Amino acid sequence: MVWWCGKTTTCEQIAKTKLYLSDPEKQSQYRTMADINPKRLLQGKTPLLLDEWQLAPKLWDAIRFEVDHREHLGQFILTGSAVPASFDEIHHTGTGRVAWVKMRPMSLFESGDSSGEISLRGGWPQATKLSGEVALEQAFDYYDSVVQSDISRADNVSRNPERVKRLMRSYARNQGTQASAELMRQDVKANDSADFDLDTVYSYLGALNKIFVIEDVHAWNPNLRSKTAIRTSDTRYFVDPSVATAALGLGPNDLINDLKTFGLLFETLCIRDLRVFADALKGEVYHYRDSRGLECDAVVHLRNGSYGLVEIKLGGDMTMRTAVRMESMLFPSDVLRISRRFRHE
């Protein structure tokens, strides 16, 4: 789950027992107990919330064992902003016992900004209570946290903060494109005298993906056996457009004066919201580009085989328009009503 997206608050509304493994006063005690008697931590009324469970990975096998023997669904809720740095202490994958749910930042509809007035402050719940410069700082605080510590905590590998900044800046400049890792390596090398090979680039990108900072869109092809999708590069996107603005050091006035960059950020925002809607429909969001040069910004593909093609445009008169062409897909009326709010005719 993405950091700051409201996962703990959401789960607190469902859980009857809550265990906060990141509590500074009890963290050491919880880890020790997870080592010597993990079952003791799993007592209490269910659903039992284990917030930031990855801090005590030995709990995973204990939870799997309890699920098998209690024979009831919905026993535990595990939240985490990253997977454990090491799976050495985990002996079972959880297949058949654990369902994974990715929680993204809020959509424009959820944050109350989908009436036609577009905001790039991000989908962070706390930001909706703030305004002006204070709200903008939420994205920059998130970015600083990623650069200074979070990316290194992803897999316990120390990384140079300045290199992280340069790579994230390059990623932000190339979002919405199929930019190669080599291109981003060259961007970083332009201001870095030290060696920075492709393996290191992939390591940095892998860590950013692991902590849910970036989330690329895979290629799609209606012909399931076609090799086209496999051979087409992923499209680069941050999980939220506000992270890109922070990486580029931009504010609202910068975007108003650079509509091309604004358009790329708007596309990232639309992809974010489409993913939220697609998740609710058990679908996926892809991009499409064929050998003839025909392309589509987004394809929403559902499990029943139906799909919709979405073209995203930012009007030159600052009117936001998303041209949507539906093909063999019927959204439920409530979801379609929400998606129509992307359009301002």
Side-chain angles (χ1 to χ4, degrees):
M1 296 185 183
V2 181
W3 291 5
W4 292 5
C5 69
K7 62 183 183 302
T8 301
T9 301
T10 300
C11 294
E12 285 174 338
Q13 299 176 45
I14 303 171
K16 293 184 179 179
T17 304
K18 308 172 184 68
L19 199 69
Y20 303 98
L21 297 178
S22 60
D23 184 341
E25 294 183 359
K26 299 180 179 180
Q27 187 177 125
S28 177
Q29 177 180 325
Y30 286 151
R31 289 188 178 185
T32 301
M33 185 59 70
D35 287 335
I36 62 176
N37 188 4
K39 187 173 182 178
R40 187 175 182 83
L41 294 177
L42 305 182
Q43 297 176 358
K45 293 184 178 180
T46 60
L48 188 154
L49 168 63
L50 294 108
D51 190 50
E52 301 296 349
W53 72 272
Q54 78 279 0
L55 298 176
K58 284 189 176 181
L59 285 174
W60 180 272
D61 287 329
I63 290 170
R64 188 268 306 172
F65 182 84
E66 288 296 310
V67 169
D68 282 348
H69 289 79
R70 294 186 185 186
E71 298 183 346
H72 291 289
L73 299 176
Q75 293 287 303
F76 304 101
I77 304 173
L78 283 66
T79 69
S81 304
V83 296
S86 172
F87 280 89
D88 294 341
E89 299 174 279
I90 296 177
H91 302 98
H92 194 285
T93 61
T95 302
R97 286 89 166 178
V98 180
W100 294 85
V101 178
K102 180 176 288 186
M103 187 171 176
R104 295 187 172 87
M106 295 190 302
S107 66
L108 290 175
F109 177 75
E110 293 171 305
S111 63
D113 293 314
S114 60
S115 62
E117 181 180 349
I118 304 302
S119 168
L120 289 176
R121 66 184 176 189
W124 316 119
Q126 188 64 32
T128 63
K129 304 174 184 178
L130 307 171
S131 61
E133 290 296 325
V134 179
L136 291 173
E137 283 301 316
Q138 296 291 300
F140 283 87
D141 290 344
Y142 180 94
Y143 168 74
D144 289 339
S145 180
V146 169
V147 168
Q148 298 298 330
S149 61
D150 296 342
I151 190 173
S152 296
R153 290 169 53 192
D155 49 13
N156 291 330
V157 175
S158 178
R159 293 184 171 88
N160 186 319
E162 288 304 314
R163 282 186 172 181
V164 178
K165 287 181 180 180
R166 294 188 184 111
L167 182 61
M168 289 183 68
R169 183 178 180 84
S170 175
Y171 200 96
R173 289 197 311 105
N174 291 291
Q175 64 181 323
T177 74
Q178 289 86 52
S180 67
E182 172 60 23
L183 186 151
M184 287 184 276
R185 187 186 78 86
Q186 293 295 337
D187 281 351
V188 176
K189 281 286 294 179
N191 295 289
D192 195 332
S193 59
D195 185 40
F196 193 64
D197 57 28
L198 272 179
D199 287 341
T200 305
V201 175
Y202 286 124
S203 171
Y204 276 53
L205 293 178
L208 289 173
N209 183 73
K210 199 172 185 179
I211 58 175
F212 308 106
V213 173
I214 60 176
E215 186 179 12
D216 295 344
V217 171
H218 303 309
W220 174 83
N221 195 300
N223 184 347
L224 299 181
R225 299 186 63 187
S226 172
K227 295 181 180 179
T228 302
I230 299 175
R231 294 174 178 174
T232 302
S233 301
D234 294 345
T235 302
R236 310 291 188 179
Y237 288 108
F238 281 98
V239 72
D240 191 273
S242 63
V243 184
T245 62
L248 293 171
L250 302 179
N253 291 333
D254 296 310
L255 297 178
I256 293 297
N257 294 323
D258 186 347
L259 293 182
K260 183 175 181 180
T261 299
F262 195 176
L264 292 174
L265 291 170
F266 178 64
E267 181 177 323
T268 301
L269 181 147
C270 292
I271 292 295
R272 181 198 71 189
D273 280 23
L274 284 173
R275 278 171 156 162
V276 173
F277 302 148
D279 283 349
L281 296 171
K282 307 299 182 184
E284 296 284 343
V285 176
Y286 301 91
H287 78 89
Y288 178 78
R289 185 177 185 180
D290 64 20
S291 58
R292 296 169 296 175
L294 295 176
E295 59 182 347
C296 186
D297 293 325
V299 179
V300 180
H301 192 126
L302 306 185
R303 291 179 183 176
N304 63 7
S306 59
Y307 61 89
L309 307 182
V310 182
E311 184 68 18
I312 302 168
K313 297 296 182 186
L314 177 65
D317 58 355
M318 295 310 298
T319 299
M320 309 301 179
R321 297 194 301 270
T322 301
V324 181
R325 179 164 64 95
M326 294 295 179
E327 291 194 356
S328 67
M329 179 165 73
L330 294 176
F331 276 119
S333 59
D334 56 334
V335 177
L336 181 57
R337 193 178 307 114
I338 294 171
S339 67
R340 279 174 176 161
R341 297 196 181 195
F342 278 108
R343 296 185 297 173
H344 184 64
E345 302 293 358

